[in-house]
Structure formats: structure tokens, C-alpha cells
């Protein structure tokens, strides 16, 4: 029973392509997030959604568009992929706001842009 | 600006010894702090948390200490085991009016020598 699951686990694509990463949580949490982890393991928040509403958009290029069809899903679509987009992308969720509860992470999607 | 963490990228300890991982945070308004463990190929996993009205919290083999005066957080692992080898992140929750944001430190890689 995976709590936060994201697909695919690996994604290799060429510059200029468009790709999507899917995320689902079965924890009944209200808030979901996307984080980007670079090659030095630094984790940076990209987006946060609460009950399908965008809460945080951390100056991410508008080539990145999150979509939340319901509160259990938060997908990430990336247009016109660039070399610098290569990273591991983590989806996470938390019960209500994060001042009250820790984040639960998926196992990541390793995106490689060639 | 927002920043969490000291640049202590690696820590090697002998199996059975105690480990101490340190972290600094910069936002005095942060009210909730969390330690995560990230094993290779997986997402960060919650270890222990502490609220700003506490200075110490203990779990099973782990203790978190919070010193708000100097904005310092530490994670102590007792009797370190090979399974403790991972990257450890401290994180702080920055509380805004209508949302919260969890900022991660740069991470410390712990290697346990058998």
C-alpha cells in the first residue's frame, strides 16, 4: 500500500519535448506538493496545492504546469524541456497545512533531458 | 533570505557510536522543525519533529535538540547502525498568513563504518 506514488520512476527524453509526471496519494491528505532535488541533493519546493487550489508557486518557469484534478492527485506537466530540468522530482502530501504535520514523500521521478 | 543548513555534507561514524548531525536555520518566525532521512533511490522519510515551544524531543534512538537563541537544530542518533546510512535533512516550516512553506537544509550524508 504505497501512500504517495508517482509515475514514472525514470524519464529520459530529449530537449524540447513535453512530458508529464503523475502523483497520487491515498492518505486522505488535503495538501500536495512538488519538490525538485538537484544533483547536490538540494530540495527546493516548486508548488503546493490545498484541496485542488494552488497555494505556492515558487518562481518556477511557466513551462511547468501543475494540475490537480482532485485532492488525491497532483500531476506535473513540463513543456519544452531543457537540459537544466534534469533532476529528481518528488511529490509529497501533508494533512492540512504543513505547520501541523510532516510531509509524506513519494519515491521520486528521475528526469534526464538529453 | 530563506536558508537552512550548515555545509556539512558528509559524516562518517563507527557502528555503535552516537551520531550528531547539525543544522542552522535563519527564520526566527519558524515554528516547526522536522528531520528527514533519505535512502538511496527513495524519497525523504520523516524521522522526528519538534515545535518551537520545545527544546528537546526524543524518539526511538533519536533525539532532536532545538536552540532558538542561536537558531540551531541537531539530530542525535544513538548506537548508529549500518541501516542509518543515508542523507539527513533538517527542514523548517515557515508560517505565512494563508499558507506554510517547508524549507529544507542542504543535507548531510551519514556513512556508518561497520
Amino acid at each position: 500500500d504505497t501512500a504517495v506514488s508517482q509515475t514514472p520512476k525514470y524519464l529520459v527524453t530529449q530537449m524540447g519535448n513535453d512530458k508529464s509526471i503523475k502523483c497520487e496519494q491515498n492518505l486522505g491528505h488535503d495538501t500536495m506538493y512538488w519538490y525538485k532535488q538537484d544533483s547536490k541533493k538540494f530540495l527546493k519546493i516548486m508548488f503546493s496545492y490545498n484541496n485542488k487550489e494552488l497555494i505556492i508557486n515558487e518562481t518556477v518557469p511557466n513551462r511547468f504546469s501543475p494540475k490537480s484534478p482532485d485532492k488525491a492527485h497532483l500531476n506535473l506537466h513540463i513543456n519544452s524541456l531543457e537540459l537544466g530540468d534534469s533532476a529528481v522530482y518528488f511529490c509529497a502530501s501533508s494533512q492540512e497545512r504543513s505547520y501541523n504535520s510532516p510531509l509524506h514523500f513519494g519515491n521520486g521521478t528521475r528526469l534526464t533531458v538529453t | 533570505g530563506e536558508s537552512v543548513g550548515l555545509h556539512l555534507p558528509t559524516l562518517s561514524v563507527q557502528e555503535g557510536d552516537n551520531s550528531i548531525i547539525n543544522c542552522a536555520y535563519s527564520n526566527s518566525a519558524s515554528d516547526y522543525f522536522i528531520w528527514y532521512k533519505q535512502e538511496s533511490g527513495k524519497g525523504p522519510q520523516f524521522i522526528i519533529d519538534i515545535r518551537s515551544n520545545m527544546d528537546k524531543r526524543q524518539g526511538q534512538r533519536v533525539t532532536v535538540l532545538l536552540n532558538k537563541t542561536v537558531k540551531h537544530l541537531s539530530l542525535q542518533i544513538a548506537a548508529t547502525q549500518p541501516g542509518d546510512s543515508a542523507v539527513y535533512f533538517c527542514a523548517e516550516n515557515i508560517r505565512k498568513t494563508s499558507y506554510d512553506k517547508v524549507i529544507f537544509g542542504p543535507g548531510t550524508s551519514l556513512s556508518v563504518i561497520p
Side-chain angles (χ1 to χ4, degrees):
Chain A
D1 287 350
T2 306
V4 181
S5 59
Q6 41 182 124
T7 55
K9 188 168 176 62
Y10 299 97
L11 189 51
V12 181
T13 189
Q14 291 185 324
M15 283 174 56
N17 284 348
D18 303 338
K19 290 292 177 187
S20 292
I21 306 172
K22 294 186 176 182
C23 179
E24 175 182 6
Q25 54 96 3
N26 63 5
L27 296 165
H29 287 170
D30 290 329
T31 309
M32 294 185 72
Y33 312 80
W34 278 108
Y35 277 80
K36 179 180 180 180
Q37 187 172 49
D38 64 21
S39 57
K40 296 181 181 176
K41 299 289 189 182
F42 189 71
L43 273 161
K44 184 171 169 57
I45 189 168
M46 299 172 68
F47 301 104
S48 167
Y49 269 72
N50 182 272
N51 275 318
K52 302 194 297 175
E53 281 190 45
L54 179 66
I55 302 297
I56 297 174
N57 181 338
E58 281 290 299
T59 59
V60 179
N62 57 16
R63 297 183 296 105
F64 290 78
S65 52
K67 285 190 171 49
S68 182
D70 55 63
K71 75 172 193 177
H73 295 83
L74 181 62
N75 303 323
L76 184 65
H77 188 76
I78 316 169
N79 288 328
S80 303
L81 278 154
E82 300 177 357
L83 292 176
D85 297 332
S86 295
V88 182
Y89 292 84
F90 286 99
C91 177
S93 70
S94 68
Q95 189 174 12
E96 14 176 349
R97 287 171 59 166
S98 58
Y99 70 80
N100 231 1
S101 62
L103 305 182
H104 294 251
F105 283 86
N107 283 328
T109 296
R110 181 175 293 277
L111 172 65
T112 304
V113 183
T114 61
Chain B
E2 298 163 351
S3 68
V4 179
L6 292 169
H7 289 282
L8 289 170
T10 60
L11 176 66
S12 295
V13 297
Q14 204 73 38
E15 182 178 355
D17 286 352
N18 296 335
S19 303
I20 299 176
I21 301 172
N22 295 304
C23 178
Y25 64 95
S26 60
N27 196 315
S28 55
S30 294
D31 59 358
Y32 178 52
F33 304 87
I34 316 101
W35 281 99
Y36 290 89
K37 172 186 180 183
Q38 185 179 21
E39 295 175 286
S40 180
K42 295 186 177 179
Q45 185 180 20
F46 169 79
I47 303 172
I48 191 168
D49 57 6
I50 189 167
R51 300 204 177 275
S52 56
N53 61 352
M54 302 170 70
D55 52 23
K56 181 178 179 179
R57 189 159 189 229
Q58 287 185 291
Q60 191 174 14
R61 283 201 307 119
V62 293
T63 301
V64 55
L65 299 177
L66 174 63
N67 185 332
K68 293 182 286 295
T69 304
V70 294
K71 298 197 193 76
H72 185 267
L73 198 64
S74 69
L75 177 72
Q76 300 177 3
I77 305 173
T80 312
Q81 302 168 0
D84 295 327
S85 293
V87 177
Y88 290 81
F89 293 94
C90 64
E92 63 177 315
N93 185 79
I94 298 173
R95 209 157 165 182
K96 308 281 188 182
T97 306
S98 59
Y99 68 92
D100 304 282
K101 188 161 70 171
V102 178
I103 304 297
F104 282 78
T108 298
S109 178
L110 175 66
S111 293
V112 181
I113 305 163

PDB file of all heavy atoms in Angstrom, chain A residues 76-89:
ATOM      1  N   LEU A  76       2.286  16.880 -12.794  1.00  0.00           N
ATOM      2  CA  LEU A  76       3.191  17.941 -13.214  1.00  0.00           C
ATOM      3  C   LEU A  76       3.475  17.778 -14.698  1.00  0.00           C
ATOM      4  O   LEU A  76       3.986  16.744 -15.126  1.00  0.00           O
ATOM      5  CB  LEU A  76       4.497  17.867 -12.412  1.00  0.00           C
ATOM      6  CG  LEU A  76       5.522  18.962 -12.674  1.00  0.00           C
ATOM      7  CD1 LEU A  76       4.979  20.325 -12.242  1.00  0.00           C
ATOM      8  CD2 LEU A  76       6.822  18.666 -11.934  1.00  0.00           C
ATOM      9  N   HIS A  77       3.131  18.797 -15.451  1.00  0.00           N
ATOM     10  CA  HIS A  77       3.395  18.770 -16.883  1.00  0.00           C
ATOM     11  C   HIS A  77       4.503  19.765 -17.189  1.00  0.00           C
ATOM     12  O   HIS A  77       4.480  20.895 -16.669  1.00  0.00           O
ATOM     13  CB  HIS A  77       2.132  19.137 -17.669  1.00  0.00           C
ATOM     14  CG  HIS A  77       2.291  18.953 -19.131  1.00  0.00           C
ATOM     15  ND1 HIS A  77       2.266  17.711 -19.738  1.00  0.00           N
ATOM     16  CD2 HIS A  77       2.524  19.852 -20.122  1.00  0.00           C
ATOM     17  CE1 HIS A  77       2.463  17.848 -21.039  1.00  0.00           C
ATOM     18  NE2 HIS A  77       2.620  19.126 -21.309  1.00  0.00           N
ATOM     19  N   ILE A  78       5.459  19.337 -18.001  1.00  0.00           N
ATOM     20  CA  ILE A  78       6.584  20.206 -18.343  1.00  0.00           C
ATOM     21  C   ILE A  78       6.676  20.341 -19.855  1.00  0.00           C
ATOM     22  O   ILE A  78       6.771  19.347 -20.574  1.00  0.00           O
ATOM     23  CB  ILE A  78       7.924  19.650 -17.802  1.00  0.00           C
ATOM     24  CG1 ILE A  78       7.765  19.143 -16.368  1.00  0.00           C
ATOM     25  CG2 ILE A  78       8.997  20.734 -17.873  1.00  0.00           C
ATOM     26  CD1 ILE A  78       8.945  18.351 -15.863  1.00  0.00           C
ATOM     27  N   ASN A  79       6.606  21.578 -20.325  1.00  0.00           N
ATOM     28  CA  ASN A  79       6.715  21.852 -21.765  1.00  0.00           C
ATOM     29  C   ASN A  79       8.149  22.219 -22.129  1.00  0.00           C
ATOM     30  O   ASN A  79       8.906  22.742 -21.306  1.00  0.00           O
ATOM     31  CB  ASN A  79       5.818  23.033 -22.134  1.00  0.00           C
ATOM     32  CG  ASN A  79       4.356  22.666 -22.086  1.00  0.00           C
ATOM     33  OD1 ASN A  79       3.971  21.538 -22.364  1.00  0.00           O
ATOM     34  ND2 ASN A  79       3.517  23.628 -21.717  1.00  0.00           N
ATOM     35  N   SER A  80       8.477  21.955 -23.373  1.00  0.00           N
ATOM     36  CA  SER A  80       9.758  22.411 -23.935  1.00  0.00           C
ATOM     37  C   SER A  80      10.922  22.142 -22.994  1.00  0.00           C
ATOM     38  O   SER A  80      11.631  23.060 -22.556  1.00  0.00           O
ATOM     39  CB  SER A  80       9.689  23.919 -24.237  1.00  0.00           C
ATOM     40  OG  SER A  80       8.618  24.188 -25.098  1.00  0.00           O
ATOM     41  N   LEU A  81      11.129  20.894 -22.692  1.00  0.00           N
ATOM     42  CA  LEU A  81      12.140  20.511 -21.707  1.00  0.00           C
ATOM     43  C   LEU A  81      13.525  21.022 -22.062  1.00  0.00           C
ATOM     44  O   LEU A  81      13.930  21.046 -23.235  1.00  0.00           O
ATOM     45  CB  LEU A  81      12.149  18.996 -21.550  1.00  0.00           C
ATOM     46  CG  LEU A  81      11.051  18.485 -20.614  1.00  0.00           C
ATOM     47  CD1 LEU A  81      10.667  17.062 -20.930  1.00  0.00           C
ATOM     48  CD2 LEU A  81      11.508  18.622 -19.164  1.00  0.00           C
ATOM     49  N   GLU A  82      14.257  21.438 -21.020  1.00  0.00           N
ATOM     50  CA  GLU A  82      15.612  21.955 -21.166  1.00  0.00           C
ATOM     51  C   GLU A  82      16.573  21.071 -20.369  1.00  0.00           C
ATOM     52  O   GLU A  82      16.168  20.360 -19.449  1.00  0.00           O
ATOM     53  CB  GLU A  82      15.678  23.392 -20.656  1.00  0.00           C
ATOM     54  CG  GLU A  82      14.762  24.340 -21.397  1.00  0.00           C
ATOM     55  CD  GLU A  82      14.803  25.752 -20.808  1.00  0.00           C
ATOM     56  OE1 GLU A  82      15.503  25.966 -19.782  1.00  0.00           O
ATOM     57  OE2 GLU A  82      14.119  26.629 -21.380  1.00  0.00           O
ATOM     58  N   LEU A  83      17.858  21.171 -20.724  1.00  0.00           N
ATOM     59  CA  LEU A  83      18.866  20.358 -20.033  1.00  0.00           C
ATOM     60  C   LEU A  83      18.822  20.586 -18.523  1.00  0.00           C
ATOM     61  O   LEU A  83      18.976  19.655 -17.734  1.00  0.00           O
ATOM     62  CB  LEU A  83      20.259  20.675 -20.571  1.00  0.00           C
ATOM     63  CG  LEU A  83      20.555  20.248 -22.013  1.00  0.00           C
ATOM     64  CD1 LEU A  83      21.941  20.732 -22.429  1.00  0.00           C
ATOM     65  CD2 LEU A  83      20.453  18.743 -22.166  1.00  0.00           C
ATOM     66  N   GLY A  84      18.616  21.841 -18.134  1.00  0.00           N
ATOM     67  CA  GLY A  84      18.610  22.194 -16.715  1.00  0.00           C
ATOM     68  C   GLY A  84      17.428  21.638 -15.936  1.00  0.00           C
ATOM     69  O   GLY A  84      17.395  21.741 -14.712  1.00  0.00           O
ATOM     70  N   ASP A  85      16.485  21.057 -16.646  1.00  0.00           N
ATOM     71  CA  ASP A  85      15.345  20.451 -15.953  1.00  0.00           C
ATOM     72  C   ASP A  85      15.687  19.063 -15.418  1.00  0.00           C
ATOM     73  O   ASP A  85      14.906  18.486 -14.643  1.00  0.00           O
ATOM     74  CB  ASP A  85      14.142  20.320 -16.902  1.00  0.00           C
ATOM     75  CG  ASP A  85      13.639  21.674 -17.394  1.00  0.00           C
ATOM     76  OD1 ASP A  85      13.819  22.673 -16.651  1.00  0.00           O
ATOM     77  OD2 ASP A  85      13.089  21.734 -18.508  1.00  0.00           O
ATOM     78  N   SER A  86      16.830  18.542 -15.804  1.00  0.00           N
ATOM     79  CA  SER A  86      17.253  17.230 -15.312  1.00  0.00           C
ATOM     80  C   SER A  86      17.415  17.279 -13.800  1.00  0.00           C
ATOM     81  O   SER A  86      18.155  18.118 -13.273  1.00  0.00           O
ATOM     82  CB  SER A  86      18.580  16.812 -15.958  1.00  0.00           C
ATOM     83  OG  SER A  86      18.430  16.633 -17.344  1.00  0.00           O
ATOM     84  N   ALA A  87      16.706  16.407 -13.120  1.00  0.00           N
ATOM     85  CA  ALA A  87      16.686  16.393 -11.655  1.00  0.00           C
ATOM     86  C   ALA A  87      15.795  15.238 -11.215  1.00  0.00           C
ATOM     87  O   ALA A  87      15.220  14.532 -12.055  1.00  0.00           O
ATOM     88  CB  ALA A  87      16.116  17.714 -11.115  1.00  0.00           C
ATOM     89  N   VAL A  88      15.679  15.083  -9.904  1.00  0.00           N
ATOM     90  CA  VAL A  88      14.687  14.155  -9.372  1.00  0.00           C
ATOM     91  C   VAL A  88      13.528  14.981  -8.825  1.00  0.00           C
ATOM     92  O   VAL A  88      13.740  15.912  -8.048  1.00  0.00           O
ATOM     93  CB  VAL A  88      15.270  13.263  -8.261  1.00  0.00           C
ATOM     94  CG1 VAL A  88      14.204  12.281  -7.772  1.00  0.00           C
ATOM     95  CG2 VAL A  88      16.488  12.505  -8.763  1.00  0.00           C
ATOM     96  N   TYR A  89      12.340  14.666  -9.250  1.00  0.00           N
ATOM     97  CA  TYR A  89      11.152  15.399  -8.830  1.00  0.00           C
ATOM     98  C   TYR A  89      10.368  14.546  -7.833  1.00  0.00           C
ATOM     99  O   TYR A  89      10.064  13.386  -8.094  1.00  0.00           O
ATOM    100  CB  TYR A  89      10.281  15.746 -10.046  1.00  0.00           C
ATOM    101  CG  TYR A  89      10.961  16.756 -10.944  1.00  0.00           C
ATOM    102  CD1 TYR A  89      11.881  16.345 -11.908  1.00  0.00           C
ATOM    103  CD2 TYR A  89      10.712  18.117 -10.807  1.00  0.00           C
ATOM    104  CE1 TYR A  89      12.536  17.263 -12.706  1.00  0.00           C
ATOM    105  CE2 TYR A  89      11.360  19.049 -11.606  1.00  0.00           C
ATOM    106  CZ  TYR A  89      12.274  18.617 -12.548  1.00  0.00           C
ATOM    107  OH  TYR A  89      12.923  19.535 -13.340  1.00  0.00           O
TER     108      TYR A  89
END
